[in-house]
Amino acid sequence: MINLENISFDHCIKCTVCTAYCPVARVTHLYPGPKQSGPDTERLRIKNPNLLDESLKYCNNCKRCEIACPSDVKIADIIQNAKWKYSPKKFRLRDMLLSHTDLTGRIATFAGPVFNFFTRLFPVKRLLDFFLNISSKKTLPEYARGTFHHWFNSCRSTQEDYDTRVVYFHGCYVNYNDHELGKDVLCVLNAMNIGVTLTNEKCCGVPLIANSFLSKARRNAAYNIKSLEKSIGGTNRKVVVSSSSCTFALKHEYPNLLEMDTSTISSHIEYITSYICKQFLQKNIPDMKPLNLTAAYHSPCHLERMGGVIYSVEVLKRIPGLELKLLHSECCGISGTYGFKKEFEQIAQDIGNDLFRQIKSLQPDIVITDCETCKWQIEMNTPYEVLHPVSVIARALSGNKFDLTV
Ligand code: SF4
Ligand code: SF4
């Protein structure tokens, strides 16, 4: 059954602004753009689902069309819904492996460096390309040894001493790939006299949604909502999230796309730089030493959709000695798992090329972005290290007294 309230296609005024903003329609004639694939054909699909257009698969769910739309049409949601409801259901092992991040994360973190070594070998890349259609031009992300959740047990008791505590939704990326970012979140919040508690969490569902594993995405959402409700426990405790895409899923994809009731948790969820920025405004600013670096900042699409870029920029502007250069707003192309798929790899590259050129022409010392998959795409296409804004603050903290590395 189609939820007419959510899809909102009748509000379209045919201005085509969304198509001008769509990064996929800009680089390939295979995709007609959000207006045609979204509100225009939704009317026809409702009458006759056989009218499904094969080109829908090219939409990478970046949401830039929704940022541009003056009528607040949920264009990307319409397209995503159409893919789920009307596309023929085909099981693909590749899509399962790329989207079930808890499963692959557990296996990969158990193997740790061995997994990283093998996935970087050219013959292995060729095999993945040939048998699974995972582009050999891409490098799969590195995995840590063990999980962040397990590491946190070693410092859990130190977090209980703080009067103010937040729940930290770390997401799969911190749990399986980048423990350092999770440690940086602890360092920075502790330096502001704020303790951290973790909740039991599953993948937020972003890759499951993108790969049409809808039932699994809903099960994960139900689990996360229940777990966060328990951690909040009827208090006004905040839930901070260090991934912009996880934040977007918890706040927007759960109610709009998955049709889950998030009323008990939604007002508690906050992207980490928004939370830090508000603390800074209340004069809760940690001591920071000058960094003396030039940084190029890239704003991820989902953070732009939430209106959250301003917080990251404001927080970064408070770091002494950081010369911040804002890059033009562009999609990097990777869109989670999209750019790893052989059939979309060239489109993802073509989308990102302008951004890579901008970064190279600025010659910064570092690049900063809030999204882990933007980081992978930029690091694969430029020679620069890409850091999360919280990691940059952690580097500026004076002294090592909050260094929780073990
Ligand atoms: S979500 Fe992104 S790729 Fe899809 S139609 Fe909108 S702008 Fe284009
Ligand atoms: S921007 Fe919005 S109103 Fe304009 S064509 Fe696209 S969906 Fe319709």
Side-chain angles (χ1 to χ4, degrees):
M1 190 69 176
I2 289 166
N3 185 339
L4 292 174
E5 205 177 297
N6 280 352
I7 59 180
S8 69
F9 61 83
D10 242 6
H11 300 159
C12 174
I13 55 168
K14 318 264 181 230
C15 65
T16 68
V17 168
C18 52
T19 302
Y21 272 75
C22 174
V24 178
R26 181 171 57 84
V27 299
T28 175
H29 66 277
L30 297 171
Y31 186 55
K35 174 178 171 286
Q36 189 171 324
S37 299
D40 281 3
T41 29
E42 188 64 8
R43 292 174 175 82
L44 306 175
R45 280 191 293 261
I46 287 174
K47 285 186 190 155
N48 182 358
N50 294 331
L51 288 170
L52 177 83
D53 186 341
E54 263 291 295
S55 69
L56 286 182
K57 67 183 178 202
Y58 289 102
C59 168
N60 67 13
N61 200 27
C62 68
K63 312 277 185 193
R64 294 185 83 81
C65 49
E66 294 187 359
I67 300 170
C69 178
S71 301
D72 198 24
V73 180
K74 302 283 184 296
I75 314 162
D77 290 0
I78 293 172
I79 294 168
Q80 205 62 47
N81 260 299
K83 279 200 235 175
W84 291 341
K85 287 179 201 290
Y86 310 125
S87 297
K89 307 276 175 286
K90 272 190 229 153
F91 175 81
R92 284 205 182 88
L93 179 62
R94 181 222 27 211
D95 295 355
M96 202 277 277
L97 292 173
L98 288 179
S99 63
H100 285 57
T101 49
D102 284 318
L103 175 69
T104 44
R106 258 183 243 121
I107 296 168
T109 50
F110 180 73
V114 179
F115 181 91
N116 298 333
F117 174 76
F118 277 105
T119 52
R120 268 149 189 73
L121 293 177
F122 190 67
V124 174
K125 284 184 167 194
R126 293 294 301 159
L127 286 173
L128 291 173
D129 189 298
F130 185 77
F131 287 109
L132 292 178
N133 283 328
I134 295 174
S135 172
S136 59
K137 293 178 189 160
K138 288 278 180 273
T139 304
L140 289 173
E142 274 199 19
Y143 282 85
R145 193 194 283 271
T147 65
F148 175 75
H149 209 99
H150 184 257
W151 171 85
F152 183 78
N153 288 333
S154 64
C155 68
R156 188 183 295 275
S157 59
T158 64
Q159 301 302 305
E160 284 160 11
D161 299 337
Y162 294 90
D163 292 337
T164 306
R165 284 203 288 159
V166 293
V167 181
Y168 174 34
F169 190 96
H170 48 68
C172 297
Y173 173 63
V174 165
N175 204 28
Y176 303 119
N177 302 97
D178 188 358
H179 296 180
E180 292 311 313
L181 173 55
K183 292 173 186 176
D184 288 341
V185 169
L186 261 70
C187 279
V188 171
L189 292 175
N190 287 180
M192 297 160 71
N193 278 318
I194 297 163
V196 167
T197 172
L198 298 192
T199 187
N200 288 325
E201 59 177 83
K202 288 185 190 272
C203 166
C204 69
V206 163
L208 296 165
I209 289 168
N211 288 284
S212 300
F213 289 96
L214 202 48
S215 317
K216 172 79 178 142
R218 285 208 174 99
R219 283 201 300 278
N220 280 17
Y223 180 95
N224 288 333
I225 292 167
K226 210 165 166 193
S227 182
L228 288 170
E229 275 172 356
K230 200 169 156 203
S231 297
I232 293 164
T235 66
N236 60 0
R237 187 173 279 178
K238 284 288 176 192
V239 177
V240 296
V241 190
S242 54
S243 161
S244 47
S245 288
C246 295
T247 315
F248 189 78
L250 293 165
K251 279 188 91 72
H252 301 280
E253 303 282 50
Y254 282 13
N256 295 337
L257 265 180
L258 300 181
E259 296 172 357
M260 308 292 294
D261 178 5
T262 55
S263 54
T264 50
I265 60 163
S266 190
S267 62
H268 296 260
I269 293 165
E270 195 156 9
Y271 180 59
I272 184 87
T273 59
S274 162
Y275 180 78
I276 291 174
C277 187
K278 288 172 189 167
Q279 291 293 320
F280 280 13
L281 290 173
Q282 290 166 24
K283 309 281 181 234
N284 183 9
I285 305 173
D287 283 340
M288 290 184 271
K289 62 181 187 292
L291 279 184
N292 300 325
L293 291 173
T294 302
Y297 174 72
H298 164 66
S299 52
C301 299
H302 285 174
L303 190 61
E304 286 198 22
R305 179 71 183 93
M306 289 186 287
V309 174
I310 184 82
Y311 298 111
S312 293
V313 172
E314 283 304 313
V315 162
L316 291 167
K317 275 162 58 179
R318 301 279 183 134
I319 299 174
L322 186 73
E323 191 186 339
L324 195 61
K325 294 183 187 286
L326 303 184
L327 296 161
H328 293 156
S329 170
E330 304 257 7
C331 176
C332 74
I334 193 91
S335 302
T337 57
Y338 183 91
F340 287 94
K341 297 176 180 175
K342 198 164 147 184
E343 65 273 30
F344 301 131
E345 193 271 339
Q346 192 53 51
I347 292 174
Q349 285 306 109
D350 292 344
I351 290 172
N353 275 337
D354 279 351
L355 177 69
F356 312 143
R357 269 194 293 273
Q358 269 192 75
I359 293 171
K360 286 175 191 163
S361 72
L362 284 175
Q363 299 188 317
D365 296 309
I366 53 167
V367 177
I368 303 174
T369 193
D370 310 78
C371 169
E372 55 273 16
T373 61
C374 297
K375 168 187 162 79
W376 298 337
Q377 175 79 326
I378 295 169
E379 286 183 343
M380 278 187 273
N381 289 283
T382 71
Y384 300 105
E385 181 187 19
V386 182
L387 292 175
H388 190 282
V390 173
S391 295
V392 185
I393 305 173
R395 287 193 181 189
L397 291 178
S398 304
N400 285 327
K401 62 182 173 175
F402 298 109
D403 185 359
L404 296 166
T405 308
V406 292

